Every structure is written in C-alpha cells, then in structure tokens.
Amino acid sequence: MKAKTMPRSLLAFVALVIAAGAAVVAYAVFRQASSPLGPLALLAAAAVVAELLQIPGERSADDPLEANAFSFSSAILIAGVVVLGPWAAAVAAVFAVLLVDSLREERLLRNGFNAGVFALASVAGGLTFQALGGAPGELALPADLGPLVGLAAAYLAINAVAVAVVTSLDRRAPMLPLLADSVVSDTPTLLAEAALGATVAFWLLEQPWGLLVLAPLALSVYLSQMRLTVLRRETAHTLNTFANVIDERDAHTYRHSARVAEYVGDLAERLRLPSSVVARLRWAGRLHDLGKFVVDAAILRKPGKLEQAEWDALRSHPRISSKLLRRFRFARDEALAVEYHHERYDGKGYYGISGPNIPLMSHFLIVADSYDAMTSDRAYRPALSSEAALREIERNLGSQFHPAVGKAFVAVRRGRDPLAALTAAERAELRRMRVTRLSGALAFDPALREAPFALALAAVVAALAGAAAGRPWLALTGAIVALAAAAWRRRQNARAAALTRQLATALEAATPAEAFETVVDRLRPAAGILWAGIVAPDDSGPDTAVAARWSVDLDGPSDAALASWLLRESAAEPAVLTAPGSEVGHRGRYVAVPLGDDRAAGYLVVGCDRWFPAHVERALRASEEVLRRALAPAPSDSVAVLRAS
C-alpha cells in the first residue's frame, strides 16, 4: 500500500513501528560494538538465507492462512536469541529483512515496517526468555522449556498485534476479532518454528556440526510446503476458472458468481466479521453455481416455464456444487453453504430446509444471489432496479430471507451502516459465525480417533518419557493408564464382536419384511438409539428422498436434512458415514451404512441422543455386508414409508 493511500492512523502506526525498530537497532548496535563480529555475521547470513527461502503468501487474500508467508526466518531469529541474545538477533533480523526485501524491490514503508516488527519481536522474546530464567549462550533442557515457551509467546504476541492493528486500521474493523484470527492462524506455524529454533540453538551450543543433519530435513520441509502451496493455489485457480466458464454459458448471468462473491464479501466486511469468515464467504459466492455444468444451457436460457424434467435438472445444481467442493478439504465450509443457497428461511426452497437448519453462510449467499438475479436481465424478464430489488428483499424478510442478514444486506446496498440496522441480539447472532479449521492430522488413521486407542498410545509415550527422564512416578502413572485404556479397548472390541454376531444371527433368521425391525430391536439395548431409518436420497430434491423410519423421538431429523447430509458426504466418503446431529438439524450423533454400491439402494441411518457408542459403530461397520443383504430389498410393509414434504 502506498503511503499517500494509507489512512492517517495507519501511517502513524507504521511510522511508530519503524521508529521503535530503529531505536532498538541503534541501541543493539551500541551494545554489540565490543562483541566479536564473527557470530553476529554468521547469524545475519543465516537470517538472509532464511528470508530468501520464503514462500510468499497471497497478499490479496482475506484469509490470514493464505496471506501469511512461509519461511524459517523466525526459527533462525529464535535460535539467535537463545545463542547470542536479543540484541544480536534484532540486528541480524533488520539486516536480513532490509537486504532481501530491497532486492525484491518491496516498497520502502513495507520494508521498514517488517524490519521494525522483527526487531521488536526478537527483543521482546529475548527479554522474556531472560526474565523467566534463560541465559543467552546456555540451553539446559528440560529446565529451560519455560523460558523457551515464554520466548515464543512474546515473539508471537508482537507479530500478531502488529498484523491485527495494521489490518484493523486499514479496513476500519475491530481489532480483537482480527487479533484472534491472527493468533489462531499463526500459532501452529510459530510453535513449529520455535521448536526448530530451539533445536538449532541446542546443536549450535553442544555440537555445531550436528546442524548438517538438520539441513536436509529443513530443505525437505521447505520443498513439501512449496508443493502444497502451489497445489492449493493451482486448485483454487482451476475452480475459479471453472466458475468463469459456468458464468459465460449464459450472457444473462455473465460474471454472476463474481458479483455474488463481491456482495457477500462486502457485507461480511461491513459487519466486521473475522477475516477468515470474509474469505470463506467470498469463495463460497464465487463457487456457488459450479453444479450448473450438469444443466443444459438451453434450460438456463429458456424464456418460458420449465418442464418438470427441466426443473428437476436445475434444482439439482446446488447439491452438485456441494459434492464437487466436498472433494476438497479446504472447501468444507463452502460446500455446506452452497448446497443451501436456494433455500428459504420458511423452508419452502429447493430442498425444504428451514431457516434454523440453514448455516448462516448460506443465508448470506441466498440474499446476495437473489439480489443479483433480480437486478440482472434474464431470458424470462427484464432486470429490476436496485431499489426495487431491495424493497422486494424487505418484503420477504422472515419468509424468503433471514431477517438479520436481509436487513444488513439492504443497509449496505443503500450505503448505510449495517450494524446500526440490527438489534443487539441480531448483531451477536451474526458475529458468532465462524469457520471450521480442518487440520486433517488424524484423518488418515481412524484408530487415532478412538478414545481408548489414543489414550493408551499417549500413556505409553508418557511412561517411556518418564522412564527416560528418571521420573518413576510418571512412568508408573503412564503404565497404569495405558493398561486401563488397553483393557477398555479390549472390552469394546469384545462388545463389538458380540453385537456383530447377534446382528448376523438375527438377520439370518429374519424375513426381508422383518429385517429393518430386527436391526432396530438389536440396536436399541446396545446403543440406546432414538431414531433409525432407511434413506434413499436423490439429487433433484426432497420429494424423492424416501425413508423407512422408526423413532422414539417425534422431532427426529427431516428427510430433506438426511438426504442433504448423505448426498453431500457420499461423494467424498463412499463407505460408512458418521456425523454430529448438527449435520441433519438435530441433536445427537448419526451413523449411515450404505446398502449398496449405488446410493439408490439407500442407507441404514441410526441416531443416538448424545454420543454414539464406539463398539456399536464398529459393529455396524463390521456388519456392512450383512446389512446390505438383509435391508437392500423393500422394507417391511409394517414400517411406514415416508416421503419428505
């Protein structure tokens, strides 16, 4: 950002950081004047290399995770703080940033600001390290773990506050949500860099040649991160191109998704929502119509009334969009939002999902998509004026549109403050909107999600660590917990095996008409289930989602919500599915067992009130083939076959 385009408050803050950094460096140079130059020069060289080996972030991105650059700079500076002290690290940081950023021809203000932040963070971290008992040039573990944690926390705090203040002043948004976003996005990376910095410092102090062992590992991490970044950006650019192609199929909707993305992003920013939410909303708006690739362009351009088959094809596109996005772990929130972007607050939309069960992100898309549709020429009608479209939104608040989201959208389009148009309760409701951060760290080993297995593993590690550290009490405690967890898991395995045998025996003796009720009878005492059904979802809408249903809870999940969950998840997970009740607009937890390779065969869906017993879930997974053979035929005539309304 150029100085002349900066708000005065932002320019003043940047100048303050640069001045503080300059003062710190001047004092550091004075302190280091009598110290040997060799170690400082070596640290500066390492900092320069770390700055050069940087994977830049997307500066235009709203999401802090995408805007942040990746490098080993912080690790090198933290190592410098531990080995040479905070003042030497500050000098090395400023030298590296100014040199490398100048070679990159970065703007002078940006260079000075970055250098100032690095200098202040190094000094704050180093002084905290010393205040907690650490001494530069020494590192005794585990005694110095506390000072190292303090160093990392202070370093993170300076960086996070600087980023939050700059963003807040630039966007005129509240600082605290931005600070929370910055801490959430930066903490995992900085903790890893702090650990690497401590490792580098340890080797430097104990055996400098040992760093040769770390160099290939660091290079491997750098290359892996680069490949991941390139893959993510290429995927995003591909999806963006795909969205452009969809828009260009119809001259009346050209750049429709780009406008929707701008509308929802502008609304979210004016509501002062976290940057991560703004970014997700823009992305959801950009991709909400991907599923239209299955719809014939002639249908999209048809000036008259659609035939039923044409209407069914058009109505399928939100779910197709959702299934496409569900394939990408980073787009999970967007997948759920775009599926519901043709719903109504009163439940009379495409799939019959009502307001409380529609994610807030979807309500943003609903109003923005409708506004753009009303203000664009279509084959079957001319465009409305902006004011006429806004009056139409106001007339349909609480029926078609979420009351708070609709009021805020109208206020923004009329150039007013949306927060002033909302009540305190409505503002609080919208500000509670968050996105899911999926690390996926445990996604590739389902065993780690089971409490007994994870607890046993953690206890074994703790016991071994206690033995290695000469802490017999820790070793004994870990061993006891590990044995207890192993016994717990063994008992779960035995119960799962017993239930699997019971299901197989009971279903072998049952007729096809009795099979569903037999399954319910066996699961009720084992799991305390409140709901069970056979659901056969279809893309085109709720009226083709058929369920054979048993329930002790009259307010169980709707067929439309169940079909939505199964259609969304079946694209990404072809096997047994699990989900919290929030996925189906209800409480508890649900498990769905596919009854055939084709989802037309349906799913056996079972729900519990609060949590699903692990041994019952395991038994259902083990009984998948048995359940398929028994339940794939038509359910009993004595069980009600319901159609979603």
Coordinates of all heavy atoms in Angstrom, one line a residue, residues 68-107:
N68 N -0.4 -15.3 4.8 CA 0.9 -15.5 5.5 C 2.0 -16.1 4.6 O 1.7 -17.1 3.9 CB 0.8 -16.3 6.8 CG 0.0 -15.5 7.9 OD1 -0.1 -14.3 7.8 ND2 -0.5 -16.2 8.9
A69 N 3.2 -15.6 4.7 CA 4.3 -16.2 4.0 C 4.9 -17.4 4.9 O 4.7 -17.4 6.1 CB 5.4 -15.2 3.7
F70 N 5.6 -18.3 4.3 CA 6.2 -19.4 5.0 C 7.7 -19.2 4.8 O 8.2 -19.1 3.7 CB 5.8 -20.7 4.5 CG 6.5 -21.9 5.0 CD1 6.2 -22.5 6.2 CD2 7.7 -22.4 4.4 CE1 6.9 -23.5 6.8 CE2 8.4 -23.5 4.9 CZ 8.0 -24.0 6.1
S71 N 8.4 -19.3 5.9 CA 9.9 -19.2 5.9 C 10.4 -19.7 7.2 O 9.7 -20.0 8.2 CB 10.4 -17.8 5.6 OG 10.3 -17.0 6.8
F72 N 11.7 -19.9 7.3 CA 12.4 -20.3 8.5 C 13.0 -19.1 9.3 O 13.8 -19.3 10.2 CB 13.5 -21.3 8.2 CG 13.0 -22.6 7.6 CD1 13.3 -23.0 6.3 CD2 12.2 -23.4 8.4 CE1 12.9 -24.2 5.8 CE2 11.8 -24.6 7.9 CZ 12.1 -25.0 6.6
S73 N 12.6 -17.9 8.9 CA 13.2 -16.7 9.5 C 13.0 -16.7 11.0 O 14.0 -16.4 11.8 CB 12.5 -15.4 8.9 OG 12.8 -15.3 7.5
S74 N 11.8 -16.9 11.5 CA 11.5 -16.9 12.9 C 12.4 -17.9 13.6 O 12.9 -17.7 14.8 CB 10.1 -17.1 13.2 OG 9.3 -16.0 12.7
A75 N 12.5 -19.1 13.0 CA 13.3 -20.2 13.7 C 14.8 -19.7 13.8 O 15.4 -19.9 14.9 CB 13.3 -21.4 12.9
I76 N 15.3 -19.1 12.8 CA 16.7 -18.6 12.9 C 16.9 -17.5 13.9 O 17.8 -17.5 14.7 CB 17.2 -18.1 11.5 CG1 17.2 -19.3 10.5 CG2 18.6 -17.5 11.6 CD1 18.1 -20.4 10.9
L77 N 15.9 -16.6 14.0 CA 16.0 -15.5 14.9 C 15.8 -16.0 16.3 O 16.5 -15.5 17.3 CB 14.9 -14.4 14.6 CG 15.1 -13.7 13.2 CD1 14.0 -12.7 13.0 CD2 16.5 -13.0 13.2
I78 N 14.9 -17.0 16.6 CA 14.7 -17.5 17.9 C 16.0 -18.2 18.3 O 16.5 -18.1 19.5 CB 13.5 -18.5 17.9 CG1 12.2 -17.6 17.9 CG2 13.5 -19.3 19.2 CD1 11.0 -18.4 17.7
A79 N 16.6 -18.9 17.4 CA 17.9 -19.6 17.7 C 19.0 -18.5 18.1 O 19.8 -18.7 19.0 CB 18.4 -20.4 16.5
G80 N 18.9 -17.4 17.3 CA 19.9 -16.3 17.6 C 19.7 -15.7 19.0 O 20.6 -15.3 19.7
V81 N 18.4 -15.5 19.4 CA 18.1 -15.0 20.7 C 18.7 -15.9 21.8 O 19.3 -15.4 22.8 CB 16.6 -14.9 20.9 CG1 16.2 -14.6 22.3 CG2 16.0 -13.8 20.0
V82 N 18.5 -17.2 21.6 CA 19.0 -18.2 22.6 C 20.5 -18.2 22.7 O 21.1 -18.2 23.7 CB 18.4 -19.6 22.3 CG1 19.1 -20.6 23.3 CG2 16.9 -19.6 22.5
V83 N 21.2 -18.1 21.5 CA 22.6 -18.3 21.5 C 23.3 -17.0 21.7 O 24.3 -16.9 22.5 CB 23.0 -18.9 20.1 CG1 24.6 -18.9 20.0 CG2 22.4 -20.3 19.9
L84 N 22.9 -15.9 21.1 CA 23.6 -14.6 21.2 C 22.9 -13.5 21.9 O 23.5 -12.5 22.2 CB 23.9 -14.1 19.7 CG 24.8 -15.0 18.9 CD1 25.0 -14.4 17.5 CD2 26.2 -15.2 19.5
G85 N 21.6 -13.7 22.3 CA 20.9 -12.7 23.0 C 20.0 -11.9 22.1 O 20.1 -11.9 20.9
P86 N 19.1 -11.2 22.7 CA 18.1 -10.5 21.9 C 18.6 -9.3 21.0 O 18.1 -9.1 19.9 CB 17.1 -9.9 23.0 CG 17.9 -9.8 24.2 CD 18.9 -11.0 24.1
W87 N 19.7 -8.7 21.5 CA 20.1 -7.5 20.7 C 20.8 -7.9 19.4 O 20.6 -7.3 18.4 CB 21.0 -6.7 21.6 CG 20.4 -6.3 22.9 CD1 20.6 -6.8 24.1 CD2 19.3 -5.4 23.0 NE1 19.8 -6.3 25.0 CE2 18.9 -5.4 24.4 CE3 18.6 -4.6 22.2 CZ2 17.9 -4.7 24.9 CZ3 17.5 -3.8 22.7 CH2 17.2 -3.9 24.1
A88 N 21.6 -9.0 19.5 CA 22.2 -9.5 18.3 C 21.2 -10.0 17.3 O 21.3 -9.8 16.1 CB 23.2 -10.6 18.6
A89 N 20.2 -10.7 17.8 CA 19.1 -11.2 16.9 C 18.4 -10.0 16.3 O 18.0 -10.1 15.1 CB 18.1 -12.0 17.8
A90 N 18.2 -8.9 17.0 CA 17.5 -7.8 16.4 C 18.3 -7.2 15.2 O 17.7 -6.9 14.2 CB 17.2 -6.7 17.5
V91 N 19.6 -7.1 15.4 CA 20.5 -6.5 14.4 C 20.4 -7.4 13.2 O 20.3 -7.0 12.0 CB 21.9 -6.4 14.9 CG1 22.8 -6.0 13.7 CG2 22.0 -5.3 16.0
A92 N 20.5 -8.8 13.4 CA 20.5 -9.7 12.3 C 19.2 -9.7 11.5 O 19.1 -9.7 10.3 CB 20.8 -11.1 12.8
A93 N 18.1 -9.6 12.3 CA 16.7 -9.5 11.7 C 16.6 -8.3 10.8 O 16.1 -8.4 9.6 CB 15.7 -9.5 12.8
V94 N 16.9 -7.2 11.3 CA 16.8 -6.0 10.5 C 17.7 -6.0 9.2 O 17.2 -5.6 8.1 CB 17.1 -4.7 11.3 CG1 17.2 -3.5 10.5 CG2 16.1 -4.5 12.4
F95 N 18.9 -6.4 9.4 CA 19.8 -6.5 8.2 C 19.2 -7.5 7.2 O 19.2 -7.1 6.0 CB 21.2 -7.1 8.7 CG 22.1 -7.3 7.6 CD1 22.8 -6.2 7.0 CD2 22.4 -8.6 7.1 CE1 23.7 -6.5 5.9 CE2 23.2 -8.8 6.0 CZ 23.9 -7.7 5.5
A96 N 18.7 -8.6 7.6 CA 18.2 -9.6 6.6 C 17.0 -9.1 5.9 O 16.8 -9.2 4.7 CB 17.9 -11.0 7.3
V97 N 16.1 -8.5 6.7 CA 14.8 -8.1 6.1 C 15.1 -6.9 5.1 O 14.5 -6.9 4.0 CB 13.8 -7.6 7.2 CG1 12.6 -6.9 6.5 CG2 13.4 -8.8 8.0
L98 N 15.8 -5.9 5.5 CA 16.1 -4.8 4.6 C 16.9 -5.2 3.4 O 16.6 -4.7 2.3 CB 16.9 -3.7 5.4 CG 16.1 -3.0 6.5 CD1 17.0 -2.0 7.2 CD2 14.9 -2.3 6.0
L99 N 17.8 -6.1 3.5 CA 18.6 -6.5 2.3 C 17.7 -7.3 1.4 O 17.7 -7.0 0.2 CB 19.8 -7.4 2.8 CG 20.6 -8.0 1.7 CD1 21.3 -6.9 0.8 CD2 21.7 -9.0 2.2
V100 N 17.0 -8.4 1.8 CA 16.3 -9.2 1.0 C 15.1 -8.5 0.4 O 14.8 -8.6 -0.8 CB 15.8 -10.5 1.7 CG1 15.0 -11.4 0.8 CG2 17.1 -11.3 2.1
D101 N 14.4 -7.8 1.2 CA 13.2 -7.1 0.7 C 13.6 -6.0 -0.3 O 12.8 -5.7 -1.3 CB 12.4 -6.5 1.8 CG 11.6 -7.5 2.5 OD1 11.6 -8.7 2.1 OD2 10.9 -7.2 3.5
S102 N 14.7 -5.4 -0.1 CA 15.2 -4.4 -1.1 C 15.5 -5.0 -2.4 O 15.2 -4.5 -3.5 CB 16.4 -3.6 -0.5 OG 16.1 -2.9 0.6
L103 N 16.2 -6.2 -2.4 CA 16.4 -6.9 -3.6 C 15.1 -7.3 -4.3 O 15.1 -7.4 -5.5 CB 17.3 -8.2 -3.3 CG 18.7 -7.9 -2.8 CD1 19.4 -9.2 -2.4 CD2 19.5 -7.2 -3.9
R104 N 14.1 -7.6 -3.5 CA 12.8 -7.9 -4.1 C 12.0 -6.6 -4.6 O 10.9 -6.7 -5.1 CB 11.9 -8.7 -3.1 CG 12.4 -10.1 -2.8 CD 11.4 -10.8 -2.0 NE 11.8 -12.1 -1.7 CZ 11.9 -12.6 -0.4 NH1 11.7 -11.9 0.6 NH2 12.3 -13.9 -0.2
E105 N 12.6 -5.5 -4.3 CA 12.1 -4.2 -4.7 C 10.7 -4.0 -4.0 O 9.8 -3.5 -4.6 CB 11.9 -4.1 -6.3 CG 13.2 -4.2 -7.0 CD 13.1 -4.0 -8.5 OE1 11.9 -4.0 -9.0 OE2 14.1 -3.8 -9.2
E106 N 10.7 -4.4 -2.8 CA 9.5 -4.1 -2.0 C 9.4 -2.6 -1.7 O 10.5 -1.9 -1.7 CB 9.5 -4.9 -0.7 CG 9.5 -6.4 -0.8 CD 8.1 -6.9 -1.1 OE1 7.2 -6.1 -1.2 OE2 7.9 -8.1 -1.2
R107 N 8.3 -2.1 -1.3 CA 8.1 -0.7 -1.0 C 8.9 -0.3 0.3 O 8.9 -1.2 1.2 CB 6.7 -0.3 -0.9 CG 5.9 -0.4 -2.3 CD 4.6 0.2 -2.2 NE 3.9 0.1 -3.5 CZ 2.8 -0.6 -3.7 NH1 2.3 -1.3 -2.8 NH2 2.3 -0.6 -4.9

